[in-house]
Amino acid sequence: MKKMKINKTTKNNLITYGMVLAVYLLVELFIAGGKVSSLMQGLLVPLCVYVILAVSLNLVVGILGELSLGHAGFMCVGAFSSAFFSKCMNGVMPDGLRFFCALLIGAAVAALFGFIIGIPVLRLKGDYLAIVTLAFGEIIKNLINVFFIGRDADGFHFSMKDSISLKLQEGGEIIMNGPQGINGTPHDSTFTIGIILVLLTLFIVLNLVHSRDGRAIMSIRDNRIAAESVGINITKYKLMAFIISAALAGTAGVLYAHNLATLTALPKNFGYNQSIMILVFVVLGGIGNIRGSVIAAVVLTLLPELLRGLNDYRMLIYAIVLIVMMLLNWSPKALELRERYSPKRLLAKRKEAKEAK
């Protein structure tokens, strides 16, 4: 009988999926044994959110080769659109179906914004693209903070002044309350759902990267003129990567929104710093390295909490770890050592040694 051979790409993908599943099973085992604190359990869903954001941003930054700083904006759009839907449908639809529909709505709305923003924005390059996408994220956050939406027997009421101007009838409820956001979003997010969404994100991105479309996207990154000269539609493939990345960021926003009792559009969760933090995950994990983005997101999310006992030195240690990770990933000496002691290189040396004997 012939042995079934698995190609290198499939093997690497399976290792990535297996790594995620192994971590999930290990964590669940520790939780069942009571070895995980409530604080760490509270970090599990945000951990999945950041992994999805890092992997999806790597599609634009690493695979497409464009610098985008508007990822927090797409996350914000997905979070609020899904939270609005869930708040309206709470008690009307079964919990599982409601959350599934909220996921689809959050991803679809974020993808729509990705399409609308992507058409004019992707004509720009480098710093100009980064500035415009950053502006988009800030505009979305500030717009949401001036929306007041309520519902009563007459239907929905909308205002951009205050909640009083909604003039709701008795028994009406405010769904979106400006800077105070949306209160009472159903708590549907769990670690298990987060892991499923992480695996789905990895499946989409990894299969896209290794597909014909993915090779076209990477050819645009490597040499736009050469790609265009062989008939590759630059706009189509750039827009494809941007929309898929935005949709996945919207999915992360849905997971984030349904993990909170109150969803507000603040600078700390949907602002400039959030976009920069996601970019840091991508850069430190290795631009274009999907597995590296997963590891960097996990390590850099858990590290501040693990060092919380060292309050006086916590941020100093965090900064040192960032610098060390940067050096290990990008310094020429580290790259040379990694190449020299890579499993592939060591196997080749062993083979040469056997043949010499």
Side-chain angles (χ1 to χ4, degrees), residues 80-102:
F80 275 89
S81 59
S82 64
F84 183 86
F85 172 81
S86 292
K87 184 76 182 288
C88 293
M89 292 294 117
N90 195 16
V92 178
M93 298 174 69
D95 292 351
L97 179 61
R98 182 190 62 227
F99 183 68
F100 179 72
C101 291

Side-chain angles (χ1 to χ4, degrees), residues 72-203:
F74 295 122
M75 177 189 172
C76 183
V77 167
F80 275 89
S81 59
S82 64
F84 183 86
F85 172 81
S86 292
K87 184 76 182 288
C88 293
M89 292 294 117
N90 195 16
V92 178
M93 298 174 69
D95 292 351
L97 179 61
R98 182 190 62 227
F99 183 68
F100 179 72
C101 291
L103 272 173
L104 295 179
I105 288 169
V109 173
L112 178 63
F113 272 84
F115 176 75
I116 294 169
I117 300 299
I119 290 174
V121 160
L122 291 175
R123 296 175 184 272
L124 304 172
K125 297 178 183 178
D127 297 342
Y128 299 104
L129 176 62
I131 290 167
V132 174
T133 51
L134 176 62
F136 158 72
E138 293 299 310
I139 289 167
I140 287 294
K141 176 174 63 67
N142 289 311
L143 273 176
I144 286 174
N145 281 329
V146 298
F147 282 166
F148 295 86
I149 303 173
R151 181 178 61 173
D152 58 17
D154 293 334
F156 290 98
H157 300 262
F158 173 81
S159 173
M160 294 184 73
K161 293 181 180 179
D162 51 43
S163 57
I164 299 171
S165 59
L166 292 173
K167 297 179 181 178
L168 297 175
Q169 295 181 10
E170 188 176 348
E173 65 170 341
I174 297 173
I175 298 174
M176 187 177 290
N177 195 15
Q180 295 180 31
I182 299 177
N183 294 313
T185 305
H187 196 284
D188 294 326
S189 295
T190 63
F191 182 48
T192 301
I193 291 174
I195 288 294
I196 292 169
L197 292 176
V198 167
L199 289 171
L200 181 63
T201 301
L202 288 169
F203 179 80

Side-chain angles (χ1 to χ4, degrees), residues 198-347:
V198 167
L199 289 171
L200 181 63
T201 301
L202 288 169
F203 179 80
I204 291 169
V205 173
L206 290 172
N207 279 277
L208 175 64
V209 169
H210 298 296
S211 68
R212 184 178 179 181
D213 292 336
R215 288 190 290 272
I217 291 168
M218 287 186 282
S219 69
I220 295 168
R221 174 196 66 190
D222 296 334
N223 194 321
R224 176 174 177 157
I225 295 171
E228 198 168 11
S229 68
V230 295
I232 292 174
N233 189 329
I234 304 294
T235 305
K236 172 189 169 183
Y237 287 108
K238 288 181 76 172
L239 202 56
M240 178 193 292
F242 202 70
I243 290 171
I244 293 172
S245 177
L248 293 173
T251 304
V254 177
L255 192 64
Y256 178 82
H258 288 76
N259 190 48
L260 301 170
T262 302
L263 179 66
T264 53
L266 300 173
K268 68 178 182 180
N269 54 0
F270 295 119
Y272 168 76
N273 288 336
Q274 179 79 308
S275 291
I276 293 297
M277 186 175 69
I278 302 165
L279 183 62
V280 167
F281 295 155
V282 174
V283 173
L284 291 182
I287 294 176
N289 186 343
I290 304 301
R291 196 186 302 165
S293 295
V294 175
I295 295 169
V298 171
V299 171
L300 296 181
T301 303
L302 290 179
L303 196 61
E305 299 304 324
L306 294 174
L307 297 174
R308 190 169 289 277
L310 304 169
N311 281 329
D312 295 336
Y313 307 102
R314 183 164 62 99
M315 295 313 295
L316 175 62
I317 297 170
Y318 183 68
I320 291 170
V321 170
L322 284 175
I323 294 168
V324 169
M325 286 183 70
M326 181 68 79
L327 290 173
L328 290 175
N329 271 320
W330 298 107
S331 69
K333 192 68 178 176
L335 291 172
E336 183 185 334
L337 288 171
R338 196 186 309 166
E339 179 66 25
R340 184 184 299 171
Y341 295 105
S342 66
K344 188 177 178 181
R345 188 73 178 269
L346 291 173
L347 286 171

